[in-house]
Amino acid sequence: MVQSAVLGFPRIGPNRELKKATEAYWNGKTSAEDLLKVGKEIREQNWKLQKEAGVDIIASNDFSFYDQVLDLSVLFNVIPERYTKYQLPQLDVLFAMGRGLQRKATDSEPAVDVTALEMVKWFDSNYHYVRPTFGKNLSFKLNGQKPVDEFLEAKALGIQTRPVLVGPVSYLYLGKADKDNLELDPISLLDQLLPLYTEILQKLAAAGATEVQLDEPTLVLDLPANVQAAVKKAYTYFGQQSNLPKITLASYFGTVVPNLESLKNLPVSGFHFDFVRAPEQFNDVLAAIGQNQTLSVGIVDGRNIWKNNFAKSSSFVQQAIAKLGAERVIVATSSSLLHTPVDLENESKLDAELKNYFSFATQKLGEVVTIAKNVSGQDVSAALQANASAITARANSTFINDQTVKDRVSSIDAKMSTRAAPFPQRLAEQQPVFNLPLFPTTTIGSFPQTKDIRINRNKFNKGQLSAEEYEKFINSEIERVIRFQEEIDLDVLVHGEPERNDMVQYFGEQLKGYAFTTNGWVQSYGSRYVRPPIIVGDLSRPKAMSVKESVYAQSITKKHVKGMLTGPITCLRWSFPRDDIDQQTQAYQLALALRDEVNDLEAAGIKIIQVDEPAIREGLPLRAGAERSAYQVWAAEAFRVATSGVSNKTQIHSHFCYSDLDPNHIKALDADVVSIEFSKKDDANYIAEFKDYPNHIGLGLFDIHSPRVPSTQEFITKIETILKTYPAEKFWVNPDCGLKTRGWDETRESLTHMVEAAKYFRNQY
Ligand code: GLN
Ligand code: ZN
């Protein structure tokens, strides 16, 4: 019998229980015990669900209160001193590393003020991990034994699990040297780290674990020779230790073939690879695995929500069985299911036809089990038949095809994707329109989304508030944000985005060709979850999507208000895309819809339009090569298609966050002004990379993921550092990103300090 495996299950709970519990704890409303209890309940629920679905290999330690990479940093004591010096409980240290902590002194406790560690996108997904940061006074040791505790917890329920840990090479390679330790190459820490892995693995074995899953997703990247050597070294080392569980080395999100040499002859019991994303690696990896090693065939998509094609997947797995024998093949999810919503059954409003095309994490459990049964010769004919008819129905669905959209995409030409004049000329025409001072200040778009906003939006969605009443409420929020910005004297204003639940979903809901869920939450980072809309068919814009709010905001102030849109690549990347046409086509469809919106905004008198592309970097194919170069071209072109329909006088802004950006790629967008996440970079080399960026740029000056308020002096120091490399004439002053997750108090203070700092420099120049 071929076994089934799930590499990890979403940990947010079916109704976002983890978010609610975590935030209540952060706000001091509940105790640590309450939070730990909710965690435990979610884990139990997840294991039982998988057991009942018939999954053979179930993960443990896939749970986390914040991030699984951060958990490892705490486990291995990779905790920079700035977090330990306050003697906080371990859970609070973890949260401080994840999100920063600022607390006023009380009678019994001193003040705490520490920024968060850098947060980075997890490969090409919209999940963010907290970057392991290796400081000078590093002393590796085990802090507790989370993986063992959770293994035992499952065991006590009668469920034997396979604990999962990020493997040593990926853990180090995804990390970075801390500011005080910049010469360090994290990979050089391997020798110190391996004994700790061994210790925790031995403890797992002693607790009864027969097998562990070590995730090495970095194997899908272009790895330098020393990192490839580290893979060999690490797993050879484990092979020499006694009393370890069996190791399945798992990789996903791409092909491992360019790094295959480092995997040959490793003393591991098996491998897991992702054949959804990289079916082409099949022959090569089969030729490379050893005589007795198992192959876990990742065939149920951990990154998307489309129903699996059982016939296709089964015949793929059959090929593996033909080569290796049934006892060496496992049917698995391609990656952890962390990236998919929990349960399709929670979607009561979804169109029944569409629902029949989708599969969320809970449904995917059934999929791995059914495929495993099918390839083992068990009778699953009813499931196969239902599946085949759903697949056929989707291919022929009227939701999907729209000839007008297809024709418009094929009519895109160079003229449509080029501004009328090059940047210097546009700038000359824009300057008299805007008359901005040096160091113009602005924000990225959203302002705090208060409880009041959410309550009113809910009421409106439930029909308890009329469209008129809701519009009135939104306008009052816009007015509040405008007055606030005037009061603290920002130069370029925004309307604050109170009408938007999410920057992609909001537009998705207004575009034809999209479906959206009511409860399809996916963790993005920490307690921040997103509800990606689903691209089901050809995309078009039935009517204007954002003009009303922008026009209202502009009508109540003399300052310029930026129109605010989400770019085509970000709409694509933060949606579940179609898997039946390529992503480039989907991006162009979105670009055309947005182009109409940009032009409508201009026609309505909006003179600055920001088109956000925070996801442009995450869409970059993980390896260098033809696919990546092509992406750089089409992604930039899609942005330009959206933004090039306007006159020279209209100023186009764009915004990016979270990742190491390539200035050349940003250059290709030809936006007049860009803002980039920067506050956690603190790196002279990174600033230098943008030195020759031709257009104007704002390097984000404070971290909006943290409630921490930087002082005016802190802003001045930051700006001074950047000014050493970057010219004042091109310098915009802004935060890292939108402020929607912040509270009003910290927002007011931070922005006030930021504006003060800008004025300080204005007086100097
Ligand atoms: N305009 C958006 C906002 O301010 C941008 C968000 C983002 O880049 N993630 O919320
Ligand atoms: Zn951003």
Side-chain angles (χ1 to χ4, degrees), residues 444 614 655-658 736-738:
I444 307 306
H655 162 74
F656 320 93
C657 38
Y658 304 130
D736 259 357
C737 189

Side-chain angles (χ1 to χ4, degrees), residues 23 26-27 66 98-102 116 119 446-451 453-454 480 525 527-528 680 702-710 735-751:
E23 291 181 352
W26 290 342
N27 296 332
Y66 204 90
R99 61 193 293 267
L101 184 62
Q102 193 171 41
M119 196 164 70
S446 58
F447 269 83
Q449 293 246 336
T450 55
K451 213 170 166 182
I453 296 183
R454 284 194 298 272
R480 165 150 86 133
Y525 64 86
S527 73
R528 175 120 182 87
K680 277 188 276 182
F702 72 95
D703 177 16
I704 55 80
H705 300 105
S706 164
R708 189 178 169 277
V709 175
D736 259 357
C737 189
L739 296 157
K740 67 187 287 189
T741 57
R742 294 277 55 84
W744 266 105
D745 289 347
E746 68 238 27
T747 296
R748 170 182 297 272
E749 277 186 71
S750 298
L751 289 178

Side-chain angles (χ1 to χ4, degrees), residues 352-509:
E353 179 189 338
L354 289 177
K355 208 167 166 178
N356 188 35
Y357 305 154
F358 301 155
S359 168
F360 292 179
T362 304
Q363 288 65 43
K364 286 171 192 281
L365 303 177
E367 294 189 337
V368 280
V369 172
T370 306
I371 298 167
K373 282 187 178 158
N374 188 32
V375 296
S376 306
Q378 291 192 24
D379 180 15
V380 284
S381 50
L384 291 186
Q385 252 162 39
N387 181 263
S389 62
I391 302 290
T392 317
R394 180 180 161 208
N396 301 322
S397 166
T398 50
F399 274 103
I400 293 178
N401 298 302
D402 185 337
Q403 195 54 43
T404 324
V405 175
K406 293 189 210 292
D407 292 346
R408 216 177 152 204
V409 168
S410 31
S411 77
I412 292 175
D413 57 14
K415 189 158 174 279
M416 270 176 97
S417 61
T418 320
R419 293 285 298 267
F423 176 71
Q425 188 185 328
R426 301 199 303 265
L427 182 67
E429 292 187 38
Q430 288 165 19
Q431 257 156 357
V433 180
F434 300 114
N435 264 319
L436 290 167
L438 271 182
F439 303 101
T441 53
T442 191
T443 62
I444 307 306
S446 58
F447 269 83
Q449 293 246 336
T450 55
K451 213 170 166 182
D452 206 27
I453 296 183
R454 284 194 298 272
I455 290 173
N456 278 286
R457 185 183 301 139
N458 269 339
K459 279 190 181 162
F460 173 58
N461 287 337
K462 287 189 185 135
Q464 296 163 0
L465 218 60
S466 71
E468 228 164 62
E469 287 166 323
Y470 185 61
E471 186 177 330
K472 218 169 128 199
F473 168 75
I474 291 295
N475 283 352
S476 71
E477 284 296 319
I478 293 175
E479 178 158 13
R480 165 150 86 133
V481 169
I482 293 286
R483 295 298 164 243
F484 167 75
Q485 296 171 93
E486 288 177 337
E487 191 189 310
I488 64 163
D489 205 17
L490 283 158
D491 299 308
V492 171
L493 312 192
V494 296
H495 78 282
E497 306 178 23
E499 77 286 11
R500 302 184 190 174
N501 38 14
D502 171 88
M503 64 185 292
V504 173
Q505 195 193 341
Y506 183 71
F507 294 102
E509 288 178 5

